[in-house]
Amino acid sequence: MSERAERLTMSVSEAAAELGISPKKAYELAHSADFPSFKIGTRTVVYRDGLREWVRKRSEKESARPCY
């Protein structure tokens, strides 16, 4: 009867897996101003809902670019 709630954050490595990119690239993104990551102590975490929004915004930008 116990349902496990989805965590609010994930590790940078988990975010990399979700995005289908390397952990190294995810850590590079984590240092970008617009990427939804932050520090908790010494650990960098990614805000799960923020990641979804970041992907949505990036995909909208890409679809707005003209194709040649």
Side-chain angles (χ1 to χ4, degrees):
M1 185 150 130
S2 67
E3 287 185 36
R4 186 172 177 186
E6 184 178 59
R7 295 182 333 201
L8 295 175
T9 63
M10 65 179 94
S11 70
V12 176
S13 294
E14 290 170 327
E18 290 288 318
L19 293 170
I21 61 175
S22 71
K24 180 179 177 179
K25 182 62 180 174
Y27 276 100
E28 289 174 16
L29 287 170
H31 289 93
S32 301
D34 69 331
F35 195 76
S37 63
F38 58 97
K39 291 277 218 179
I40 297 179
T42 60
R43 189 165 179 232
T44 301
V45 296
V46 179
Y47 177 52
R48 190 174 298 274
D49 289 340
L51 181 61
R52 290 181 181 121
E53 182 66 15
W54 181 84
V55 168
R56 186 187 65 74
K57 285 180 181 178
R58 296 282 300 216
S59 66
E60 285 176 357
K61 279 184 186 178
E62 289 297 316
S63 64
R65 293 173 71 186
C67 296
Y68 297 101

